[in-house]
Amino acid sequence: MSTVTVTEFIEAPAVDVWACLVDLPGRAGWLRTVGGVELLTAERFGPGTAWREIRTRPDGGEQAEEFVVRDVDAPHRLVLSSPGIGVDYRITWTLRNVRRRGRDCTAVTVEHEAVPAASYGRVMALLFGGLAARAVEGAIRRDLADLAVAVTRADDAAAA
């Protein structure tokens, strides 16, 4: 199993960060690598909610990723799962209101766990584990930067 954890600080309350994070139809509008979102379930956001995102890979190609909500403790914790090829993923988002440099903000921690689901998944993890971890960390940091911009825009629009 491989785990990558990244924490970033967003200058907005956790409830505002949460609202943006769980707005599934809006994801394609603020995540620069997401070209579209297809809801796979119709129920209210919570355990069992599923969707598919079309993401742009670093090589310019597209890749569909499916996510299922496993656990929710709004606005503090969101646990997702995503099946991969030979590896299954568990992504945990944790939001904490904190004070940083004299300002109220939200510490957003994303923990991305890769669990080999087949024997070749274990072999691939051994061969490419470090490279994959760096790529995942970069993707998480990019998504968190996009989230910070989206939340800031939403806060600015609400204040206007």
Side-chain angles (χ1 to χ4, degrees):
M1 180 171 77
S2 167
T3 302
V4 174
T5 304
V6 176
T7 299
E8 294 290 344
F9 297 90
I10 298 177
E11 290 190 10
V15 294
D16 293 349
V17 176
W18 180 267
C20 191
L21 180 63
V22 301
D23 174 17
L24 300 180
R27 290 174 72 81
W30 61 266
L31 279 166
R32 70 184 103 165
T33 60
V34 174
V37 175
E38 176 188 359
L39 295 175
L40 302 175
T41 54
E43 70 258 8
R44 214 177 81 237
F45 188 89
T49 299
W51 73 95
R52 180 181 299 120
E53 294 179 356
I54 305 302
R55 285 196 173 241
T56 304
R57 296 188 313 251
D59 66 4
E62 290 186 342
Q63 175 178 334
E65 292 184 351
E66 290 187 9
F67 298 92
V68 176
V69 175
R70 295 296 174 203
D71 189 35
V72 174
D73 178 17
H76 307 290
R77 188 169 179 267
L78 172 63
V79 181
L80 307 173
S81 64
S82 179
I85 300 171
V87 179
D88 290 332
Y89 301 99
R90 178 182 172 100
I91 305 106
T92 303
W93 292 74
T94 306
L95 285 66
R96 291 179 296 112
N97 286 315
V98 297
R99 230 157 130 85
R100 184 167 190 253
R101 297 183 184 140
R103 302 181 82 159
D104 291 328
C105 60
T106 301
V108 182
T109 300
V110 179
E111 182 179 84
H112 188 282
E113 299 172 89
V115 181
S119 58
Y120 66 87
R122 286 190 265 299
V123 171
M124 295 302 283
L126 287 172
L127 293 174
F128 299 108
L131 179 62
R134 285 190 297 280
V136 167
E137 180 181 351
I140 292 170
R141 288 190 187 286
R142 184 180 52 245
D143 287 356
L144 285 169
D146 289 351
L147 177 60
V149 169
V151 171
T152 301
R153 282 187 192 145
D155 284 351
D156 290 348

